[in-house]
């Protein structure tokens, strides 16, 4: 079930956060409607925080989580404030209006919408390796990890963008934060446990940030 937060409540929450403990990094997730997108974009005009945007538009089961007006507001109002966008393949295709033929071309097309950098996640692709592509238009990075094909997960994209935001808040450069987040999520997937519905739940009790055997850059 989804219940949208009224824009006035969303504004009050953000203002309270900014007054009490101004963040170094802000990560946006599912906003649901255009009014919420515009409210967040207005708040970000006054913030100096690094902005990670997870453009939650399509659920894993294919359900639409952001309506057409919301997608327009995302591009027009929010993207000019975004330092890093983290779409999966279906979300990238929603944004572009056509299929992803190659990651670098798709990333360039999405960056032209106003964001400063983009990480396209390859979880919906095929192959033995799960490959993600990051670029800021000047530098680029491929991140690869063995695909875990025998488990069905929920929330991996949300965790990845949150882990990136945490790394940036700790002062890491974007490339380093992206690479460490990829390692973190891969290890959390590897150690996951199954719940009653048959979905696999990520294990966050990792105990160490060093996970060199589960993920690698290429």
């Amino acid at each position: 079930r989804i219940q949208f937060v009224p824009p006035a409540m969303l504004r009050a929450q953000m203002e309270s956060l900014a007054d009490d403990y101004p963040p170094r990094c802000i990560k946006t997730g599912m906003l649901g409607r255009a009014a919420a997108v515009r409210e967040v974009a207005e708040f970000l005009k006054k913030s100096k925080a690094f902005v990670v945007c997870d453009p939650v538009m399509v659920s894993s089961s294919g359900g639409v989580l952001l309506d057409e007006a919301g997608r327009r507001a995302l591009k027009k109002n929010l993207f000019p404030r975004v330092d890093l966008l983290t779409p999966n393949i279906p979300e990238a295709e929603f944004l572009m209006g056509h299929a992803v033929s190659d990651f670098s071309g798709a990333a360039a097309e999405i960056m032209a919408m106003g964001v400063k950098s983009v990480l396209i996640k390859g979880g919906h692709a095929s192959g033995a390796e799960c490959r993600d592509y990051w670029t800021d238009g000047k530098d680029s990075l491929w991140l690869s990890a063995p695909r875990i094909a025998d488990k069905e997960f929920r929330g991996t994209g949300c965790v990845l963008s949150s882990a990136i935001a945490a790394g940036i808040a700790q002062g890491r450069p974007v490339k380093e934060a992206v690479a460490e987040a990829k390692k973190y999520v891969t290890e959390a997937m590897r150690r996951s446990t199954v719940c009653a519905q048959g979905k696999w739940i990520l294990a966050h009790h990792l105990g160490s940030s060093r996970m060199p055997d589960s993920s690698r850059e290429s």
Side-chain angles (χ1 to χ4, degrees), residues 151-165:
K151 299 178 181 180
E152 185 177 354
F153 295 96
R154 282 181 178 171
T156 53
C158 299
V159 173
L160 180 67
S161 56
S162 296
I164 294 170

Side-chain angles (χ1 to χ4, degrees), residues 100-204:
V100 171
S101 56
D102 70 279
F103 278 25
S104 60
E109 187 170 340
I110 292 170
M111 282 193 64
M113 299 176 190
V115 302
K116 294 181 178 64
S117 67
V118 62
L119 173 70
I120 299 181
K121 299 171 292 189
H124 289 79
S126 58
E129 295 283 317
C130 180
R131 305 190 74 206
D132 305 337
Y133 178 76
W134 170 85
T135 185
D136 63 0
K138 298 178 182 178
D139 199 1
S140 62
L141 179 69
W142 280 100
L143 295 140
S144 295
R147 186 177 299 278
I148 303 174
D150 58 342
K151 299 178 181 180
E152 185 177 354
F153 295 96
R154 282 181 178 171
T156 53
C158 299
V159 173
L160 180 67
S161 56
S162 296
I164 294 170
I168 290 169
Q170 292 171 355
R172 289 186 174 93
V174 179
K175 277 179 67 174
E176 182 180 328
V178 168
E180 285 299 312
K182 174 75 169 181
K183 293 177 183 178
Y184 178 88
V185 172
T186 301
E187 184 66 8
M189 292 170 68
R190 191 180 69 82
R191 298 191 188 190
S192 60
T193 56
V194 69
C195 70
Q197 296 180 353
K199 306 294 184 181
W200 288 81
I201 307 301
L202 301 186
H204 296 286

